[in-house]
Amino acid sequence: MSTTSARPLRADAERTVRAILDAAERVLSENPNATLEQIAEAAGVARTTVHRRFANREDLVRTMAVAAWRSITAAVDAARPRTAPPLVALHQATANVIEIKYGASYALDRVDNTDPEVAELQSDVFAKCDAVLGRARADGFIAADADLTWVRRVYLALINETVHGNTELDGTADPDTLASRVIDTLLGGVGTGRRQ
């Protein structure tokens, strides 16, 4: 386990860790085989600083994933999923999460869902997602008989496709515009409802 999750860090140490995590995301996104030394150089720190903070590459990637999921948790909380009007909360959470996923795609693509800390963070986010989707269903925006677990899975797949599946959306598109596209597709679909 990394020292970053074992105890709170001083502000300067926290800035150093943040610089290492940000550099690791950039460097590993461009070159998944990059060394810890290359990451240290990109972060502007000594190689020994990276090795002191992270036991190995796997520890660094795990810490990146945990930090990304913590950011997602905070972003969902900022959208007030239990108190804001459901469509407002859903839109804001979507925009926030899209922005985070663009900046942490390497870490999030390599997350170990069986890691207890990651699993706990995901569970918390999914519970808040279910809460806002349940409120949207209660307000008539989602069909009354819709399986909310399935709705959540479709919603998350739409977010993932927005971030990863569309080459013309390279992270420069406005998160609010992308969030609107996700919500419109989730609630309205792309079909006309016609079957014949």
Side-chain angles (χ1 to χ4, degrees):
M1 178 178 274
S2 72
T3 58
T4 58
S5 61
R7 65 181 183 276
L9 299 173
R10 294 184 332 257
D12 59 335
E14 193 172 315
R15 280 191 301 275
T16 299
V17 168
R18 182 79 258 157
I20 293 167
L21 296 178
D22 291 345
E25 180 65 40
R26 285 190 318 275
V27 170
L28 292 171
S29 292
E30 293 174 13
N31 176 10
N33 297 316
T35 65
L36 291 180
E37 289 75 15
Q38 290 169 311
I39 293 167
E41 184 179 330
V45 301
R47 177 182 53 82
T48 55
T49 300
V50 175
H51 287 287
R52 188 172 50 247
R53 296 286 176 205
F54 304 100
N56 52 42
R57 181 189 178 92
E58 292 74 29
D59 185 38
L60 172 60
V61 172
R62 179 199 177 273
T63 302
M64 291 166 61
V66 169
W69 272 101
R70 285 182 181 155
S71 294
I72 289 172
T73 301
V76 170
D77 287 342
R80 301 182 357 249
R82 297 185 194 282
T83 59
L87 293 188
V88 171
L90 196 58
H91 177 89
Q92 190 60 58
T94 305
N96 293 350
V97 169
I98 286 171
E99 191 166 10
I100 290 165
K101 282 181 157 278
Y102 270 123
S105 60
Y106 179 88
L108 290 170
D109 286 348
R110 283 147 189 85
V111 70
D112 177 2
N113 296 324
T114 64
D115 180 286
E117 190 170 4
V118 170
E120 183 178 337
L121 290 164
Q122 287 177 333
S123 179
D124 180 51
V125 168
F126 295 165
K128 290 169 186 163
C129 184
D130 290 347
V132 74
L133 291 172
R135 292 175 57 232
R137 182 173 65 183
D139 286 357
F141 297 111
I142 295 173
D145 61 347
D147 176 351
L148 287 184
T149 300
W150 176 250
V151 173
R152 175 180 20 99
R153 290 177 63 193
V154 170
Y155 166 66
L156 296 175
L158 288 169
I159 291 174
N160 284 332
E161 185 63 20
T162 297
V163 174
H164 296 297
N166 200 334
T167 55
E168 80 256 11
L169 301 176
D170 62 357
T172 60
D174 174 47
D176 281 323
T177 301
L178 298 175
S180 292
R181 181 185 291 183
V182 168
I183 302 306
D184 290 348
T185 304
L186 179 70
L187 298 182
V190 294
T192 63
R194 185 173 169 196
R195 300 281 183 188
Q196 292 279 340

